[in-house]
Amino acid sequence: MNALAPLIVAVPMLTAALIAVAGRVVGARLAGVLALGATLGCAGLLVAVLVRLHGRIEPVWIGGWHPRDGVALGVSFTLDPLGVGLALFIAVLMALALVYGRGSLDPEPPHVHVLALVFLAGMVGFCLSGDLFNLFVFFELMSVSAFALTAIDVDEGAALEGSLNFAVTNTIGSFLAVIGIALVYARTGALNIAQAGHVFDHGHVDGLVAVALAFIACGFLVKAAVVPFHFWLADAYAVAPAAICIVLAGAMSELGVLGIVRVVFGVFGGPVAAHAEAVRTVLVVAGLATAVLGAVMAYAQDHLKRMLAFVTIGHVGLFLAGVAMLSSAGVGAIAVYVVADGCAKAALFACVGIVQRRLGHVSISALRGAGRDLRWTGAAFVLAAIVSIGLPATGPFLGKALLDDALIHGVGSWAVAIAVGASALTGAVLLSAASCVFLGRGRDEPGAPEYEPLTEPQPSTPVTMWAPVAVLLAAAIAIGVIPGVRHAAHVAGAQATAHGTIVHTVLGDTRAPAVHGSLPAPPAHDWLLSLLTVAIAFALAAYMLRHQRRPLHALRALHSGRVGDYVALLCAGAALFGGAFTLALH
Amino acid sequence: MTVLTYGVAGWLFLVGLAGIVRSNNVIGVVICLGVVQSSTYVLLLAIGYRTGAKAPILADIPTGTPVVDPVVQALTLTDVVVEATVTAVLLALAVQAHKRFGSLDPDAMTRMRG
Amino acid sequence: MTRSARMVVFAVSAAGLATLMAVAFAGLPSFGDYSGRYGRIIAQIAIPDRAATNAVTFTAFDVRGVDTMVEEFIVFAAAIAAVALLRHLRGEPEREARPGDVLRPLTSPAVRVMGAALVGPTVVIALNLVAHGAITPGGGFQGGVVLAAGAVILVAAGGRVRLPPDEPPLLAEIVHGAGAAGFVLLGLAGLVFAGAFLDTTWAGHGTPGMLLSAGSIPLLNVATGLEVSGALIVIAAEFLEQEMLAMEPESS
């Protein structure tokens, strides 16, 4: 374990460096193969670690720096089932994206592969790390490569603006996090999550603790694109190539939520547990507000990828709401939901990428009916949409059902009502978009652009593009039926939220005991609720196709594309969260 | 002295943000981002300072002499490097934007709306 | 939002943030009173454990070495990003001066002599900083930056940068990749020879204060120096390869 864990990060990094050195000699094809190989190697190492972990928590001290006198000196990778499992999902997703990108990304010279591998290393390291500053550094690695990958399609003029907004807002989020980390270090003298948590358990909770929590959380909330930090995401996803969006939507946004988990249960576990009600309220309001806003803004979109970006934002809101329950069942539910929904969203983006390739356009109104020949793509898109709403027996259904149970126990059924509403609206938006593009339904919008391909339409879809769609759809559905998922989710949730165990294990340099049990299977009323949600989505979609889209001027004007506006709203959000957490931890 | 040092960190942070919000030039945004980042350096280094202690270079000083905290210095070093690289990427984007849009005003680059 | 609305939103938020920071900073220890154990333990063990006299480099490259490895790769990624984003702009053809262009005169002999004179000491200082990173203030990052500055001095003193598109890479592009790979390989050497990734003890202990001491920390510094200097030279080259018009000096 000591050897395996650092290799997980070292393999993609070393391969990236070697491709960069030998790139022109090696050529783009071989570079692509190497990149895929390194990604699969990383995934294999993660499988090995997950198997050896046996559902326990285990610290791995990099450089052999074990704690002395109860003070953690080195950087630890605190391996737990949630982190390792999420990292594995990300590696697999990256492998699929690399395959998908073979046809669509400009391969000469192999910069994309280098950046993709570094991006993978950043994300995977983030999942494994158990040290606050190390988390920040991996977070930055992930961010810098994401900025570059978003802008890589330099022919797309708007790519620069999207990437600029992405870079500026996320960097300010990281600065907030660094201030929070500095405050934690000042108070606890530690950067290790477990050690800081141990000190906060026994210390006095004052303004510094609350503000530190707020600022570090804001850094992660910017990445997760929670309201009001979400403005950058639609701009970035709209311009990034579809292969990159697969990883951004399926993996990167969720890491913001993982960051919140580490902060809330790891570093500030003691203070949060003592004020659980208040913290829960703050986070669940933020999560549900994000879910609603994502759904509403998705409704207003004409650009396919921007619409999917808002769908992503909506779902992240639901993830945050689940984590906000501050319970092991909540985090376990989100573990399932993130992976299953990630597959469905990735499939949606992959289908849009195929549409872009075959039809040369991404505007829904311009593409009306143009997708009639793309029957398989259309079918896949619709299936992915229905699966993501939570069709019973699929992965997202399981995640959603577990989430609803956690929400009812945590705050009440009003939260479930909002979650169902947001899901239904999001689903309806996807279904109506699919009907418009692939079936030609829908009203004539005045001022809709003519269908004129912006890029050269290709005559066929290569297998490297449709195979990942099939794999992702199959995975999204399978997660709901394969045995052991509920047990794995229970273990992941329990170990990630067990603050006392984490502290004891890391500082004592031992392994935590295994956890037994499983999350309950969704009872009948969850099946009914999901079918109801799907039905509402279809009904809403039919309504939307018959009637003009409401313009929503004020809300859309707020999403102006101007970085100055975004930063002002980010500051407002930071001040709000700061105030909210200060009141909550009072 | 305490108020002054930490106050400078806070001031730099807010002034940098104000610069970004007001700016009409992408290069200005990048430089203001640097100002915001420098506030984190000041905060980190101020936290680690010990009155009357030496620099953390241990050659030729007797063992046991108090030194200022070396950990925050290492953190600041990392922070500086990260900021420099983000600046580089942002400036590359700015150069490209200028070639494409003919302007460096972030408010003029509004292909993304709604 | 209009600009004034934006400023109002910001002003209110900034007031809120200022209050929050005041509340938070009030809880900080007084300036000069920091008493955390982490730094003190590091200062105590730097010489006995690793013969490293520069506690900051010891922290950055040994105790928290993985942070530095990741940071190095951030620099690496930025260099790759700069090339990926700007290579389409390479090789713009030389053209006649148009009205409105600003003409830059060729540098004077004084500037060129100054530049040439400065490059030598700059490179030597850079190499010194990198090599002695474990002993005196300095290290791979600092030395790498100074080395890159030396390259920029050359250009500022009147050199010109032309990077034709699709040509073999600059030496710097290979060097920065090699530096990055080198760091990871040194980490793997730690795994193979000493049982833990990024363990530095396998390269011997040495005497504190001598060049060859502190385990593999000097080697890590060299790798970092190569990587940082290469990356910054690549980035600088991409930016400097722009249209440059030269005005012929008046023939006297």
Side-chain angles (χ1 to χ4, degrees):
Chain A
M1 198 67 103
N2 203 23
L4 287 178
L7 281 179
I8 295 173
V9 173
V11 163
M13 282 180 164
L14 183 60
T15 317
L18 290 174
I19 295 178
V21 168
R24 316 255 185 159
V25 166
V26 145
R29 287 198 68 104
L30 187 52
V33 169
L34 282 173
L36 188 58
T39 308
L40 290 173
C42 178
L45 287 167
L46 281 162
V47 169
V49 166
L50 193 59
V51 162
R52 288 201 190 182
L53 200 57
H54 293 301
R56 297 190 278 232
I57 305 176
E58 190 175 328
V60 171
W61 299 97
I62 311 285
W65 283 98
H66 295 265
R68 293 190 200 190
D69 306 326
V71 175
L73 291 178
V75 171
S76 85
F77 274 6
T78 306
L79 303 173
D80 71 342
L82 181 66
V84 179
L86 197 56
L88 177 58
F89 169 62
I90 292 175
V92 171
L93 201 61
M94 176 62 85
L96 288 169
L98 284 173
V99 169
Y100 181 87
R102 289 292 295 283
S104 57
L105 292 172
D106 173 15
E108 295 284 349
H111 296 131
V112 166
H113 298 115
V114 174
L115 286 169
L117 283 173
V118 170
F119 188 30
L120 175 69
M123 289 192 285
V124 163
F126 187 86
C127 292
L128 301 180
S129 181
D131 179 287
L132 261 181
F133 194 74
N134 193 237
L135 267 180
F136 162 69
V137 176
F138 273 116
F139 188 76
E140 279 303 304
L141 183 62
M142 166 170 84
S143 302
V144 168
S145 22
F147 305 155
L149 286 167
T150 304
I152 204 102
D153 198 1
V154 284
D155 289 331
E156 161 98 54
L160 304 164
E161 188 190 328
S163 187
L164 200 72
N165 293 347
F166 182 6
V168 173
T169 48
N170 276 260
T171 310
I172 295 178
S174 326
F175 298 164
L176 277 171
V178 171
I179 292 188
I181 295 173
L183 292 172
V184 168
Y185 182 70
R187 175 58 62 85
T188 65
L191 291 169
N192 185 281
I193 288 179
Q195 176 116 54
H198 181 63
V199 175
F200 279 135
D201 282 346
H202 303 302
H204 169 58
V205 175
D206 63 349
L208 182 146
V209 178
V211 172
L213 169 59
F215 279 5
I216 301 179
C218 283
F220 293 133
L221 291 172
V222 170
K223 178 64 79 193
V226 168
V227 164
F229 307 118
H230 66 287
F231 295 93
W232 62 270
L233 192 144
D235 295 353
Y237 284 25
V239 301
I244 308 298
C245 284
I246 288 176
V247 187
L248 290 178
M252 199 184 70
S253 302
E254 287 74 7
L255 290 180
V257 177
L258 179 69
I260 300 287
V261 170
R262 296 292 189 228
V263 164
V264 160
F265 296 104
V267 182
F268 296 96
V272 164
H275 300 89
E277 273 300 311
V279 173
R280 185 177 303 157
T281 314
V282 172
L283 289 175
V284 86
V285 165
L288 292 174
T290 309
V292 169
L293 184 113
V296 169
M297 281 300 294
Y299 162 70
Q301 296 307 313
D302 185 56
H303 188 294
L304 273 171
K305 282 175 32 205
R306 216 170 146 79
M307 172 190 79
L308 284 180
F310 280 109
V311 167
T312 307
I313 293 177
H315 286 175
V316 162
L318 293 176
F319 301 157
L320 185 63
V323 167
M325 294 302 101
L326 299 179
S327 67
S328 129
V331 174
I334 296 306
V336 175
Y337 199 14
V338 160
V339 174
D341 189 67
C343 291
K345 277 201 305 266
L348 286 169
F349 269 106
C351 290
V352 168
I354 294 178
V355 165
Q356 205 167 6
R357 176 191 169 84
R358 295 289 299 272
L359 301 176
H361 214 298
V362 271
S363 158
I364 299 174
S365 46
L367 284 170
R368 189 151 82 91
R372 279 200 188 97
D373 293 329
L374 299 177
R375 273 166 300 170
W376 285 108
T377 312
F381 190 95
V382 170
L383 184 58
I386 302 178
V387 164
S388 79
I389 303 173
L391 185 69
T394 62
F397 160 70
L398 181 60
K400 204 72 203 311
L402 294 170
L403 170 64
D404 290 341
D405 283 337
L407 283 174
I408 291 183
H409 284 117
V411 284
S413 28
W414 59 269
V416 175
I418 297 183
V420 165
S423 275
L425 180 54
T426 319
V429 167
L430 290 170
L431 288 171
S432 76
S435 309
C436 182
V437 171
F438 298 108
L439 296 176
R441 301 268 171 77
R443 283 184 56 118
D444 260 318
E445 309 242 348
E450 282 295 308
Y451 169 46
E452 271 217 37
L454 297 174
T455 54
E456 184 69 42
Q458 303 291 321
S460 69
T461 311
V463 64
T464 52
M465 286 180 92
W466 61 254
V469 174
V471 169
L472 287 164
L473 273 177
I477 296 173
I479 290 176
V481 287
I482 52 179
V485 171
R486 285 183 284 113
H487 169 67
H490 173 71
V491 169
Q495 298 287 39
T497 55
H499 174 74
T501 315
I502 297 173
V503 171
H504 173 77
T505 312
V506 173
L507 293 182
D509 205 8
T510 71
R511 288 189 202 162
V515 164
H516 301 286
S518 171
L519 291 171
H525 64 80
D526 277 320
W527 287 69
L528 288 174
L529 192 58
S530 301
L531 286 168
L532 183 64
T533 316
V534 174
I536 298 178
F538 270 97
L540 270 177
Y543 176 86
M544 283 191 234
L545 287 169
R546 269 186 232 291
H547 300 267
Q548 284 278 16
R549 226 200 312 261
R550 278 187 216 288
L552 297 180
H553 283 306
L555 196 56
R556 297 189 65 177
L558 209 54
H559 295 72
S560 60
R562 301 196 165 115
V563 73
D565 290 347
Y566 292 2
V567 172
L569 290 164
L570 195 161
C571 295
L576 274 172
F577 273 103
F581 278 113
T582 312
L583 288 173
L585 291 187
H586 209 263
Chain B
M1 191 61 183
T2 304
V3 171
L4 182 63
T5 4
Y6 299 139
V8 164
W11 170 251
L12 284 172
F13 189 78
L14 293 171
V15 157
L17 284 175
I20 296 175
V21 172
R22 281 179 46 120
S23 179
N24 61 0
N25 187 311
V26 169
I27 312 286
V29 168
V30 172
I31 295 183
C32 289
L33 216 51
V35 173
V36 176
Q37 182 71 310
S38 61
S39 77
T40 62
Y41 311 152
V42 171
L43 184 64
L44 278 170
L45 292 172
I47 285 173
Y49 184 69
R50 293 192 179 114
T51 330
K54 305 234 177 273
I57 309 297
L58 305 167
D60 303 333
I61 56 175
T63 34
T65 330
V67 292
V68 297
D69 192 48
V71 175
V72 286
Q73 299 201 0
L75 300 183
T76 309
L77 182 56
T78 308
D79 221 7
V80 169
V81 172
V82 165
E83 193 258 333
T85 55
V86 170
T87 304
V89 176
L90 281 173
L91 287 174
L93 290 173
V95 167
Q96 272 281 11
H98 183 250
K99 295 282 177 179
R100 274 204 200 268
F101 295 106
S103 149
L104 284 175
D105 186 349
D107 284 353
M109 301 180 216
T110 46
R111 302 265 300 261
M112 305 264 97
R113 290 213 57 148
Chain C
M1 287 194 283
T2 60
R3 283 187 74 92
S4 43
R6 184 198 293 182
M7 290 313 299
V8 167
V9 168
F10 178 72
V12 172
S13 320
L17 286 174
T19 323
L20 286 167
M21 286 200 275
V23 164
F25 293 171
L28 287 172
S30 290
F31 181 64
D33 262 352
Y34 184 64
S35 59
R37 287 177 66 198
Y38 194 179
R40 262 190 281 147
I41 294 182
I42 293 207
Q44 280 163 7
I45 62 175
I47 296 187
D49 279 31
R50 291 288 190 275
T53 51
N54 182 343
V56 177
T57 313
F58 170 60
T59 315
F61 284 88
D62 192 339
V63 181
R64 299 188 66 92
V66 64
D67 278 352
T68 306
M69 181 176 82
V70 176
E71 180 199 344
E72 228 205 8
F73 272 84
I74 297 179
V75 178
F76 171 76
I80 302 283
V83 174
L85 293 174
L86 293 177
R87 66 188 169 93
H88 292 286
L89 299 180
R90 283 191 194 171
E92 291 186 350
E94 304 205 10
R95 58 177 171 84
E96 294 295 307
R98 292 199 281 256
D101 278 346
V102 173
L103 296 178
R104 191 176 78 88
L106 287 174
T107 48
S108 72
V111 173
R112 295 201 205 194
V113 167
M114 202 56 210
L118 279 177
V119 168
T122 309
V123 170
V124 170
I125 290 176
L127 295 176
N128 185 35
L129 282 174
V130 170
H132 290 88
I135 309 164
T136 50
F141 289 102
Q142 294 92 321
V145 171
V146 175
L147 193 57
V152 174
I153 289 177
L154 269 179
V155 177
R160 293 181 57 179
V161 179
R162 289 220 67 87
L163 294 173
D166 306 324
E167 278 298 305
L170 281 181
L171 181 62
E173 286 188 41
I174 299 183
V175 163
H176 90 90
F183 201 108
V184 181
L185 287 172
L186 286 167
L188 288 173
L191 181 60
V192 167
F193 299 125
F197 186 75
L198 282 176
D199 193 319
T200 59
T201 53
W202 56 275
H205 199 81
T207 325
M210 302 303 288
L211 184 60
L212 293 177
S213 62
S216 63
I217 297 180
L219 297 171
L220 290 167
N221 269 303
V222 169
T224 310
L226 284 175
E227 203 273 316
V228 171
S229 60
L232 288 176
I233 291 176
V234 166
I235 293 175
E238 284 294 338
F239 280 113
L240 289 169
E241 202 283 332
Q242 299 289 320
E243 279 180 31
M244 294 208 312
L245 301 176
M247 187 171 75
E248 287 299 318
E250 309 277 340
S251 42
S252 45

